[in-house]
PDB file of all heavy atoms in Angstrom:
ATOM      1  N   THR W 207      -7.099 -57.149 -10.423  1.00 98.00           N
ATOM      2  CA  THR W 207      -5.742 -57.120 -11.011  1.00 98.00           C
ATOM      3  C   THR W 207      -4.766 -56.336 -10.135  1.00 98.00           C
ATOM      4  O   THR W 207      -3.553 -56.372 -10.369  1.00 98.00           O
ATOM      5  CB  THR W 207      -5.741 -56.501 -12.429  1.00 98.00           C
ATOM      6  OG1 THR W 207      -6.348 -55.209 -12.344  1.00 98.00           O
ATOM      7  CG2 THR W 207      -6.498 -57.369 -13.418  1.00 98.00           C
ATOM      8  N   GLN W 208      -5.286 -55.622  -9.127  1.00 98.00           N
ATOM      9  CA  GLN W 208      -4.375 -54.931  -8.197  1.00 98.00           C
ATOM     10  C   GLN W 208      -3.614 -55.978  -7.395  1.00 98.00           C
ATOM     11  O   GLN W 208      -4.104 -57.095  -7.202  1.00 98.00           O
ATOM     12  CB  GLN W 208      -5.146 -53.960  -7.278  1.00 98.00           C
ATOM     13  CG  GLN W 208      -6.009 -54.566  -6.198  1.00 98.00           C
ATOM     14  CD  GLN W 208      -7.414 -54.925  -6.650  1.00 98.00           C
ATOM     15  OE1 GLN W 208      -7.638 -55.276  -7.792  1.00 98.00           O
ATOM     16  NE2 GLN W 208      -8.374 -54.875  -5.735  1.00 98.00           N
ATOM     17  N   SER W 209      -2.424 -55.610  -6.924  1.00 98.00           N
ATOM     18  CA  SER W 209      -1.602 -56.617  -6.232  1.00 98.00           C
ATOM     19  C   SER W 209      -1.225 -56.175  -4.817  1.00 98.00           C
ATOM     20  O   SER W 209      -1.180 -54.982  -4.508  1.00 98.00           O
ATOM     21  CB  SER W 209      -0.325 -56.895  -7.028  1.00 98.00           C
ATOM     22  OG  SER W 209       0.583 -55.832  -6.862  1.00 98.00           O
ATOM     23  N   ARG W 210      -0.954 -57.188  -3.992  1.00 98.00           N
ATOM     24  CA  ARG W 210      -0.401 -56.977  -2.649  1.00 98.00           C
ATOM     25  C   ARG W 210       0.606 -58.089  -2.375  1.00 98.00           C
ATOM     26  O   ARG W 210       0.558 -59.148  -2.993  1.00 98.00           O
ATOM     27  CB  ARG W 210      -1.501 -57.028  -1.572  1.00 98.00           C
ATOM     28  CG  ARG W 210      -2.532 -55.910  -1.605  1.00 98.00           C
ATOM     29  CD  ARG W 210      -1.969 -54.547  -1.308  1.00 98.00           C
ATOM     30  NE  ARG W 210      -3.006 -53.522  -1.212  1.00 98.00           N
ATOM     31  CZ  ARG W 210      -3.497 -52.842  -2.238  1.00 98.00           C
ATOM     32  NH1 ARG W 210      -3.071 -53.079  -3.468  1.00 98.00           N
ATOM     33  NH2 ARG W 210      -4.433 -51.919  -2.054  1.00 98.00           N
ATOM     34  N   SER W 211       1.471 -57.855  -1.389  1.00 98.00           N
ATOM     35  CA  SER W 211       2.513 -58.819  -1.010  1.00 98.00           C
ATOM     36  C   SER W 211       2.340 -59.071   0.482  1.00 98.00           C
ATOM     37  O   SER W 211       2.276 -58.117   1.254  1.00 98.00           O
ATOM     38  CB  SER W 211       3.888 -58.214  -1.285  1.00 98.00           C
ATOM     39  OG  SER W 211       3.928 -57.727  -2.612  1.00 98.00           O
ATOM     40  N   PHE W 212       2.268 -60.338   0.879  1.00 98.00           N
ATOM     41  CA  PHE W 212       1.796 -60.653   2.230  1.00 98.00           C
ATOM     42  C   PHE W 212       2.878 -61.243   3.123  1.00 98.00           C
ATOM     43  O   PHE W 212       3.556 -62.194   2.746  1.00 98.00           O
ATOM     44  CB  PHE W 212       0.616 -61.619   2.146  1.00 98.00           C
ATOM     45  CG  PHE W 212      -0.544 -61.068   1.358  1.00 98.00           C
ATOM     46  CD1 PHE W 212      -0.883 -61.608   0.128  1.00 98.00           C
ATOM     47  CD2 PHE W 212      -1.265 -59.985   1.836  1.00 98.00           C
ATOM     48  CE1 PHE W 212      -1.941 -61.094  -0.606  1.00 98.00           C
ATOM     49  CE2 PHE W 212      -2.325 -59.463   1.106  1.00 98.00           C
ATOM     50  CZ  PHE W 212      -2.664 -60.010  -0.118  1.00 98.00           C
ATOM     51  N   CYS W 213       2.965 -60.693   4.322  1.00 98.00           N
ATOM     52  CA  CYS W 213       3.984 -61.101   5.294  1.00 98.00           C
ATOM     53  C   CYS W 213       3.303 -61.733   6.505  1.00 98.00           C
ATOM     54  O   CYS W 213       2.324 -61.182   7.036  1.00 98.00           O
ATOM     55  CB  CYS W 213       4.767 -59.860   5.723  1.00 98.00           C
ATOM     56  SG  CYS W 213       6.123 -60.190   6.851  1.00 98.00           S
ATOM     57  N   TYR W 214       3.827 -62.873   6.956  1.00 98.00           N
ATOM     58  CA  TYR W 214       3.265 -63.512   8.141  1.00 98.00           C
ATOM     59  C   TYR W 214       3.744 -62.782   9.401  1.00 98.00           C
ATOM     60  O   TYR W 214       4.878 -62.291   9.468  1.00 98.00           O
ATOM     61  CB  TYR W 214       3.669 -64.994   8.185  1.00 98.00           C
ATOM     62  CG  TYR W 214       2.928 -65.736   9.260  1.00 98.00           C
ATOM     63  CD1 TYR W 214       1.547 -65.928   9.172  1.00 98.00           C
ATOM     64  CD2 TYR W 214       3.586 -66.228  10.377  1.00 98.00           C
ATOM     65  CE1 TYR W 214       0.854 -66.600  10.166  1.00 98.00           C
ATOM     66  CE2 TYR W 214       2.901 -66.907  11.377  1.00 98.00           C
ATOM     67  CZ  TYR W 214       1.534 -67.079  11.269  1.00 98.00           C
ATOM     68  OH  TYR W 214       0.839 -67.738  12.261  1.00 98.00           O
ATOM     69  N   ILE W 215       2.871 -62.754  10.402  1.00 98.00           N
ATOM     70  CA  ILE W 215       3.092 -61.928  11.593  1.00 98.00           C
ATOM     71  C   ILE W 215       4.420 -62.200  12.307  1.00 98.00           C
ATOM     72  O   ILE W 215       5.094 -61.261  12.745  1.00 98.00           O
ATOM     73  CB  ILE W 215       1.889 -62.054  12.560  1.00 98.00           C
ATOM     74  CG1 ILE W 215       2.058 -61.173  13.784  1.00 98.00           C
ATOM     75  CG2 ILE W 215       1.608 -63.493  12.951  1.00 98.00           C
ATOM     76  CD1 ILE W 215       2.038 -59.708  13.530  1.00 98.00           C
ATOM     77  N   SER W 216       4.830 -63.473  12.416  1.00 98.00           N
ATOM     78  CA  SER W 216       6.064 -63.749  13.177  1.00 98.00           C
ATOM     79  C   SER W 216       7.279 -63.144  12.478  1.00 98.00           C
ATOM     80  O   SER W 216       8.221 -62.679  13.134  1.00 98.00           O
ATOM     81  CB  SER W 216       6.255 -65.259  13.387  1.00 98.00           C
ATOM     82  OG  SER W 216       6.245 -65.922  12.144  1.00 98.00           O
ATOM     83  N   ASP W 217       7.271 -63.134  11.152  1.00 98.00           N
ATOM     84  CA  ASP W 217       8.375 -62.516  10.408  1.00 98.00           C
ATOM     85  C   ASP W 217       8.408 -61.007  10.643  1.00 98.00           C
ATOM     86  O   ASP W 217       9.471 -60.408  10.814  1.00 98.00           O
ATOM     87  CB  ASP W 217       8.228 -62.794   8.909  1.00 98.00           C
ATOM     88  CG  ASP W 217       8.635 -64.221   8.538  1.00 98.00           C
ATOM     89  OD1 ASP W 217       9.491 -64.787   9.242  1.00 98.00           O
ATOM     90  OD2 ASP W 217       8.102 -64.745   7.552  1.00 98.00           O
ATOM     91  N   LEU W 218       7.232 -60.410  10.654  1.00 99.00           N
ATOM     92  CA  LEU W 218       7.171 -58.956  10.858  1.00 99.00           C
ATOM     93  C   LEU W 218       7.668 -58.574  12.253  1.00 99.00           C
ATOM     94  O   LEU W 218       8.467 -57.644  12.415  1.00 99.00           O
ATOM     95  CB  LEU W 218       5.714 -58.508  10.652  1.00 99.00           C
ATOM     96  CG  LEU W 218       5.361 -57.023  10.573  1.00 99.00           C
ATOM     97  CD1 LEU W 218       4.939 -56.409  11.863  1.00 99.00           C
ATOM     98  CD2 LEU W 218       6.440 -56.182   9.884  1.00 99.00           C
ATOM     99  N   VAL W 219       7.228 -59.347  13.262  1.00 98.00           N
ATOM    100  CA  VAL W 219       7.642 -59.085  14.649  1.00 98.00           C
ATOM    101  C   VAL W 219       9.165 -59.186  14.768  1.00 98.00           C
ATOM    102  O   VAL W 219       9.815 -58.353  15.410  1.00 98.00           O
ATOM    103  CB  VAL W 219       6.905 -60.051  15.623  1.00 98.00           C
ATOM    104  CG1 VAL W 219       7.574 -60.082  16.986  1.00 98.00           C
ATOM    105  CG2 VAL W 219       5.443 -59.639  15.750  1.00 98.00           C
ATOM    106  N   GLU W 220       9.736 -60.174  14.110  1.00 98.00           N
ATOM    107  CA  GLU W 220      11.194 -60.333  14.088  1.00 98.00           C
ATOM    108  C   GLU W 220      11.847 -59.058  13.525  1.00 98.00           C
ATOM    109  O   GLU W 220      12.817 -58.544  14.088  1.00 98.00           O
ATOM    110  CB  GLU W 220      11.531 -61.555  13.212  1.00 98.00           C
ATOM    111  CG  GLU W 220      13.002 -61.820  13.003  1.00 98.00           C
ATOM    112  CD  GLU W 220      13.672 -62.405  14.232  1.00 98.00           C
ATOM    113  OE1 GLU W 220      12.951 -62.927  15.096  1.00 98.00           O
ATOM    114  OE2 GLU W 220      14.912 -62.305  14.321  1.00 98.00           O
ATOM    115  N   GLY W 221      11.288 -58.547  12.439  1.00 98.00           N
ATOM    116  CA  GLY W 221      11.830 -57.338  11.818  1.00 98.00           C
ATOM    117  C   GLY W 221      11.757 -56.132  12.745  1.00 98.00           C
ATOM    118  O   GLY W 221      12.699 -55.334  12.826  1.00 98.00           O
ATOM    119  N   LEU W 222      10.648 -56.005  13.461  1.00 99.00           N
ATOM    120  CA  LEU W 222      10.487 -54.864  14.384  1.00 99.00           C
ATOM    121  C   LEU W 222      11.551 -54.917  15.480  1.00 99.00           C
ATOM    122  O   LEU W 222      12.170 -53.894  15.818  1.00 99.00           O
ATOM    123  CB  LEU W 222       9.091 -54.874  15.014  1.00 99.00           C
ATOM    124  CG  LEU W 222       7.903 -54.656  14.075  1.00 99.00           C
ATOM    125  CD1 LEU W 222       6.580 -54.798  14.830  1.00 99.00           C
ATOM    126  CD2 LEU W 222       7.966 -53.285  13.403  1.00 99.00           C
ATOM    127  N   ILE W 223      11.772 -56.120  16.015  1.00 98.00           N
ATOM    128  CA  ILE W 223      12.749 -56.266  17.104  1.00 98.00           C
ATOM    129  C   ILE W 223      14.167 -56.030  16.583  1.00 98.00           C
ATOM    130  O   ILE W 223      14.976 -55.351  17.231  1.00 98.00           O
ATOM    131  CB  ILE W 223      12.587 -57.641  17.796  1.00 98.00           C
ATOM    132  CG1 ILE W 223      11.236 -57.686  18.518  1.00 98.00           C
ATOM    133  CG2 ILE W 223      13.729 -57.915  18.771  1.00 98.00           C
ATOM    134  CD1 ILE W 223      10.850 -59.030  19.101  1.00 98.00           C
ATOM    135  N   LEU W 224      14.463 -56.552  15.390  1.00 98.00           N
ATOM    136  CA  LEU W 224      15.792 -56.320  14.797  1.00 98.00           C
ATOM    137  C   LEU W 224      16.042 -54.825  14.619  1.00 98.00           C
ATOM    138  O   LEU W 224      17.138 -54.326  14.899  1.00 98.00           O
ATOM    139  CB  LEU W 224      15.895 -57.018  13.429  1.00 98.00           C
ATOM    140  CG  LEU W 224      16.074 -58.536  13.441  1.00 98.00           C
ATOM    141  CD1 LEU W 224      15.900 -59.106  12.031  1.00 98.00           C
ATOM    142  CD2 LEU W 224      17.449 -58.915  13.990  1.00 98.00           C
ATOM    143  N   LEU W 225      15.023 -54.103  14.182  1.00 98.00           N
ATOM    144  CA  LEU W 225      15.187 -52.665  13.977  1.00 98.00           C
ATOM    145  C   LEU W 225      15.395 -51.947  15.314  1.00 98.00           C
ATOM    146  O   LEU W 225      16.288 -51.097  15.445  1.00 98.00           O
ATOM    147  CB  LEU W 225      13.961 -52.091  13.232  1.00 98.00           C
ATOM    148  CG  LEU W 225      13.902 -50.581  13.070  1.00 98.00           C
ATOM    149  CD1 LEU W 225      15.168 -50.010  12.443  1.00 98.00           C
ATOM    150  CD2 LEU W 225      12.685 -50.181  12.224  1.00 98.00           C
ATOM    151  N   MET W 226      14.589 -52.314  16.316  1.00 98.00           N
ATOM    152  CA  MET W 226      14.740 -51.669  17.634  1.00 98.00           C
ATOM    153  C   MET W 226      16.151 -51.896  18.188  1.00 98.00           C
ATOM    154  O   MET W 226      16.743 -51.013  18.803  1.00 98.00           O
ATOM    155  CB  MET W 226      13.681 -52.213  18.602  1.00 98.00           C
ATOM    156  CG  MET W 226      13.688 -51.580  19.968  1.00 98.00           C
ATOM    157  SD  MET W 226      13.274 -49.806  19.916  1.00 98.00           S
ATOM    158  CE  MET W 226      11.577 -49.818  20.511  1.00 98.00           C
ATOM    159  N   GLN W 227      16.698 -53.100  17.961  1.00 98.00           N
ATOM    160  CA  GLN W 227      18.022 -53.427  18.522  1.00 98.00           C
ATOM    161  C   GLN W 227      19.178 -52.855  17.710  1.00 98.00           C
ATOM    162  O   GLN W 227      20.316 -52.869  18.158  1.00 98.00           O
ATOM    163  CB  GLN W 227      18.179 -54.953  18.612  1.00 98.00           C
ATOM    164  CG  GLN W 227      17.335 -55.545  19.734  1.00 98.00           C
ATOM    165  CD  GLN W 227      17.234 -57.061  19.639  1.00 98.00           C
ATOM    166  OE1 GLN W 227      17.642 -57.660  18.653  1.00 98.00           O
ATOM    167  NE2 GLN W 227      16.653 -57.659  20.660  1.00 98.00           N
ATOM    168  N   SER W 228      18.894 -52.378  16.511  1.00 98.00           N
ATOM    169  CA  SER W 228      19.962 -51.908  15.617  1.00 98.00           C
ATOM    170  C   SER W 228      20.348 -50.469  15.951  1.00 98.00           C
ATOM    171  O   SER W 228      19.699 -49.800  16.756  1.00 98.00           O
ATOM    172  CB  SER W 228      19.474 -51.955  14.170  1.00 98.00           C
ATOM    173  OG  SER W 228      18.608 -50.857  13.918  1.00 98.00           O
ATOM    174  N   ASN W 229      21.389 -50.004  15.278  1.00 97.00           N
ATOM    175  CA  ASN W 229      21.782 -48.602  15.435  1.00 97.00           C
ATOM    176  C   ASN W 229      21.192 -47.736  14.334  1.00 97.00           C
ATOM    177  O   ASN W 229      21.613 -46.605  14.152  1.00 97.00           O
ATOM    178  CB  ASN W 229      23.309 -48.485  15.404  1.00 97.00           C
ATOM    179  CG  ASN W 229      23.917 -49.122  16.633  1.00 97.00           C
ATOM    180  OD1 ASN W 229      23.357 -49.015  17.729  1.00 97.00           O
ATOM    181  ND2 ASN W 229      25.022 -49.822  16.454  1.00 97.00           N
ATOM    182  N   TYR W 230      20.254 -48.278  13.590  1.00 98.00           N
ATOM    183  CA  TYR W 230      19.699 -47.546  12.446  1.00 98.00           C
ATOM    184  C   TYR W 230      18.395 -46.849  12.794  1.00 98.00           C
ATOM    185  O   TYR W 230      17.639 -47.287  13.654  1.00 98.00           O
ATOM    186  CB  TYR W 230      19.474 -48.497  11.266  1.00 98.00           C
ATOM    187  CG  TYR W 230      20.760 -49.046  10.723  1.00 98.00           C
ATOM    188  CD1 TYR W 230      21.180 -50.326  11.077  1.00 98.00           C
ATOM    189  CD2 TYR W 230      21.561 -48.290   9.891  1.00 98.00           C
ATOM    190  CE1 TYR W 230      22.374 -50.842  10.595  1.00 98.00           C
ATOM    191  CE2 TYR W 230      22.758 -48.788   9.399  1.00 98.00           C
ATOM    192  CZ  TYR W 230      23.162 -50.063   9.759  1.00 98.00           C
ATOM    193  OH  TYR W 230      24.336 -50.563   9.286  1.00 98.00           O
ATOM    194  N   GLN W 231      18.151 -45.787  12.047  1.00 98.00           N
ATOM    195  CA  GLN W 231      16.928 -44.991  12.218  1.00 98.00           C
ATOM    196  C   GLN W 231      15.883 -45.356  11.164  1.00 98.00           C
ATOM    197  O   GLN W 231      14.693 -45.289  11.388  1.00 98.00           O
ATOM    198  CB  GLN W 231      17.347 -43.524  12.079  1.00 98.00           C
ATOM    199  CG  GLN W 231      16.236 -42.535  12.005  1.00 98.00           C
ATOM    200  CD  GLN W 231      16.776 -41.143  11.638  1.00 98.00           C
ATOM    201  OE1 GLN W 231      17.907 -40.790  11.959  1.00 98.00           O
ATOM    202  NE2 GLN W 231      15.954 -40.353  10.972  1.00 98.00           N
ATOM    203  N   GLY W 232      16.346 -45.725   9.977  1.00 96.00           N
ATOM    204  CA  GLY W 232      15.429 -46.023   8.887  1.00 96.00           C
ATOM    205  C   GLY W 232      15.080 -44.800   8.096  1.00 96.00           C
ATOM    206  O   GLY W 232      15.853 -43.834   8.111  1.00 96.00           O
ATOM    207  N   PRO W 233      13.929 -44.733   7.445  1.00 98.00           N
ATOM    208  CA  PRO W 233      12.903 -45.768   7.407  1.00 98.00           C
ATOM    209  C   PRO W 233      13.348 -47.059   6.707  1.00 98.00           C
ATOM    210  O   PRO W 233      14.133 -47.026   5.780  1.00 98.00           O
ATOM    211  CB  PRO W 233      11.751 -45.111   6.629  1.00 98.00           C
ATOM    212  CG  PRO W 233      12.367 -44.004   5.862  1.00 98.00           C
ATOM    213  CD  PRO W 233      13.561 -43.557   6.628  1.00 98.00           C
ATOM    214  N   PHE W 234      12.770 -48.170   7.235  1.00 98.00           N
ATOM    215  CA  PHE W 234      12.969 -49.485   6.641  1.00 98.00           C
ATOM    216  C   PHE W 234      11.625 -50.064   6.204  1.00 98.00           C
ATOM    217  O   PHE W 234      10.676 -50.073   6.988  1.00 98.00           O
ATOM    218  CB  PHE W 234      13.538 -50.459   7.684  1.00 98.00           C
ATOM    219  CG  PHE W 234      14.999 -50.289   7.939  1.00 98.00           C
ATOM    220  CD1 PHE W 234      15.443 -49.531   9.018  1.00 98.00           C
ATOM    221  CD2 PHE W 234      15.945 -50.892   7.121  1.00 98.00           C
ATOM    222  CE1 PHE W 234      16.797 -49.375   9.273  1.00 98.00           C
ATOM    223  CE2 PHE W 234      17.306 -50.742   7.371  1.00 98.00           C
ATOM    224  CZ  PHE W 234      17.735 -49.980   8.439  1.00 98.00           C
ATOM    225  N   ASN W 235      11.575 -50.591   4.981  1.00 98.00           N
ATOM    226  CA  ASN W 235      10.429 -51.398   4.570  1.00 98.00           C
ATOM    227  C   ASN W 235      10.507 -52.735   5.283  1.00 98.00           C
ATOM    228  O   ASN W 235      11.550 -53.400   5.241  1.00 98.00           O
ATOM    229  CB  ASN W 235      10.472 -51.687   3.063  1.00 98.00           C
ATOM    230  CG  ASN W 235      10.169 -50.464   2.223  1.00 98.00           C
ATOM    231  OD1 ASN W 235       9.571 -49.498   2.699  1.00 98.00           O
ATOM    232  ND2 ASN W 235      10.571 -50.505   0.958  1.00 98.00           N
ATOM    233  N   LEU W 236       9.418 -53.148   5.923  1.00 98.00           N
ATOM    234  CA  LEU W 236       9.336 -54.492   6.506  1.00 98.00           C
ATOM    235  C   LEU W 236       8.117 -55.190   5.926  1.00 98.00           C
ATOM    236  O   LEU W 236       6.991 -54.693   6.051  1.00 98.00           O
ATOM    237  CB  LEU W 236       9.229 -54.427   8.034  1.00 98.00           C
ATOM    238  CG  LEU W 236      10.439 -53.879   8.799  1.00 98.00           C
ATOM    239  CD1 LEU W 236      10.178 -53.912  10.295  1.00 98.00           C
ATOM    240  CD2 LEU W 236      11.714 -54.663   8.472  1.00 98.00           C
ATOM    241  N   GLY W 237       8.331 -56.301   5.275  1.00 98.00           N
ATOM    242  CA  GLY W 237       7.241 -57.059   4.661  1.00 98.00           C
ATOM    243  C   GLY W 237       7.837 -58.220   3.912  1.00 98.00           C
ATOM    244  O   GLY W 237       9.035 -58.480   3.986  1.00 98.00           O
ATOM    245  N   ASN W 238       6.970 -58.933   3.196  1.00 98.00           N
ATOM    246  CA  ASN W 238       7.425 -60.071   2.397  1.00 98.00           C
ATOM    247  C   ASN W 238       7.132 -59.746   0.934  1.00 98.00           C
ATOM    248  O   ASN W 238       5.994 -59.452   0.600  1.00 98.00           O
ATOM    249  CB  ASN W 238       6.652 -61.322   2.848  1.00 98.00           C
ATOM    250  CG  ASN W 238       7.190 -62.581   2.204  1.00 98.00           C
ATOM    251  OD1 ASN W 238       7.633 -62.559   1.057  1.00 98.00           O
ATOM    252  ND2 ASN W 238       7.148 -63.671   2.943  1.00 98.00           N
TER     253      ASN W 238
END
Side-chain angles (χ1 to χ4, degrees):
T207 55
Q208 72 274 32
S209 76
R210 294 295 186 273
S211 309
F212 301 111
C213 183
Y214 189 67
I215 182 66
S216 56
D217 284 331
L218 190 266
V219 164
E220 176 74 19
L222 295 176
I223 293 173
L224 285 170
L225 174 53
M226 183 64 104
Q227 287 167 350
S228 77
N229 292 322
Y230 294 100
Q231 171 189 330
F234 282 97
N235 288 340
L236 294 181
N238 188 326

